[in-house]
Coordinates of all heavy atoms in Angstrom, one line a residue:
R9 N -15.6 17.3 -27.2 CA -15.0 18.3 -28.1 C -13.8 17.7 -28.7 O -13.0 17.0 -28.1 CB -14.6 19.5 -27.3 CG -14.0 20.7 -28.2 CD -13.8 21.9 -27.3 NE -13.2 23.0 -28.1 CZ -13.9 23.8 -28.9 NH1 -15.2 23.6 -28.9 NH2 -13.4 24.8 -29.6
P13 N -7.0 19.5 -36.7 CA -5.8 18.8 -37.0 C -4.5 19.5 -36.5 O -4.3 20.7 -36.8 CB -5.8 18.7 -38.5 CG -7.2 18.8 -38.9 CD -7.8 19.7 -37.8
R74 N -22.6 10.9 -44.7 CA -23.9 11.4 -44.1 C -23.6 11.9 -42.7 O -24.1 12.9 -42.2 CB -25.0 10.3 -44.1 CG -25.5 10.1 -45.5 CD -26.6 9.0 -45.5 NE -27.7 9.3 -44.6 CZ -28.7 10.1 -44.9 NH1 -28.8 10.6 -46.1 NH2 -29.7 10.4 -44.0
P97 N -19.2 26.3 -39.9 CA -18.9 25.7 -41.3 C -20.2 25.3 -42.0 O -21.3 25.1 -41.4 CB -18.1 24.4 -40.9 CG -18.7 24.0 -39.6 CD -19.0 25.3 -38.9
T113 N -35.3 25.1 -64.4 CA -34.3 25.3 -65.5 C -32.9 25.1 -64.9 O -32.7 25.0 -63.6 CB -34.3 26.7 -66.1 OG1 -33.9 27.6 -65.1 CG2 -35.7 27.0 -66.6
R125 N -31.8 30.4 -48.9 CA -31.1 31.2 -47.9 C -31.6 32.7 -47.9 O -31.2 33.5 -47.1 CB -29.6 31.3 -48.2 CG -28.9 29.9 -47.9 CD -27.4 30.1 -48.0 NE -26.8 28.8 -47.6 CZ -25.5 28.7 -47.4 NH1 -24.7 29.8 -47.6 NH2 -24.9 27.6 -47.0
T142 N -18.4 29.0 -65.2 CA -17.3 28.2 -64.7 C -17.4 26.7 -65.2 O -16.4 26.1 -65.5 CB -17.4 28.2 -63.1 OG1 -17.2 29.5 -62.7 CG2 -16.3 27.2 -62.5
R150 N -31.3 28.3 -69.8 CA -32.8 28.2 -69.8 C -33.3 26.8 -70.1 O -34.5 26.6 -70.2 CB -33.3 29.2 -70.9 CG -33.0 30.6 -70.5 CD -33.6 31.6 -71.6 NE -33.3 33.0 -71.3 CZ -34.0 33.8 -70.5 NH1 -35.1 33.3 -70.0 NH2 -33.7 35.0 -70.3
A169 N -24.1 23.0 -55.8 CA -23.4 22.8 -54.6 C -22.4 24.0 -54.3 O -22.3 24.5 -53.2 CB -22.6 21.5 -54.6
D175 N -17.9 25.3 -47.2 CA -16.5 25.1 -46.7 C -16.1 23.7 -47.0 O -14.9 23.4 -47.1 CB -16.4 25.4 -45.2 CG -16.9 26.7 -44.8 OD1 -16.3 27.7 -45.3 OD2 -17.9 26.8 -44.1
D187 N -20.5 7.9 -68.9 CA -19.6 7.3 -69.8 C -18.1 7.8 -69.6 O -17.9 8.8 -68.9 CB -20.0 7.5 -71.3 CG -19.9 9.0 -71.6 OD1 -18.8 9.4 -72.0 OD2 -20.9 9.7 -71.6
V209 N -12.6 18.7 -49.8 CA -13.4 17.7 -50.5 C -13.3 16.3 -49.9 O -12.1 15.9 -49.8 CB -13.1 17.7 -52.0 CG1 -14.0 16.7 -52.7 CG2 -13.2 19.1 -52.6
L240 N -3.3 6.7 -47.9 CA -2.2 6.7 -48.9 C -2.0 8.0 -49.5 O -2.9 8.6 -50.0 CB -2.5 5.6 -50.0 CG -2.8 4.2 -49.6 CD1 -3.2 3.4 -50.8 CD2 -1.7 3.6 -48.8
F259 N 2.5 6.0 -61.3 CA 1.1 5.7 -61.4 C 0.8 4.2 -61.2 O 0.0 3.8 -60.4 CB 0.5 6.2 -62.8 CG -1.0 5.9 -62.9 CD1 -1.9 6.9 -62.5 CD2 -1.4 4.8 -63.5 CE1 -3.3 6.6 -62.6 CE2 -2.8 4.5 -63.7 CZ -3.7 5.5 -63.3
T265 N -0.4 -1.0 -55.5 CA -0.5 -1.0 -54.1 C -1.9 -0.8 -53.6 O -2.4 -1.6 -52.7 CB 0.4 0.1 -53.5 OG1 1.7 -0.1 -53.9 CG2 0.3 0.2 -52.0

Side-chain angles (χ1 to χ4, degrees):
R9 186 175 180 82
R74 289 178 59 83
T113 67
R125 291 187 174 189
T142 297
R150 296 179 182 274
D175 304 298
D187 65 84
V209 180
L240 307 175
F259 181 87
T265 299

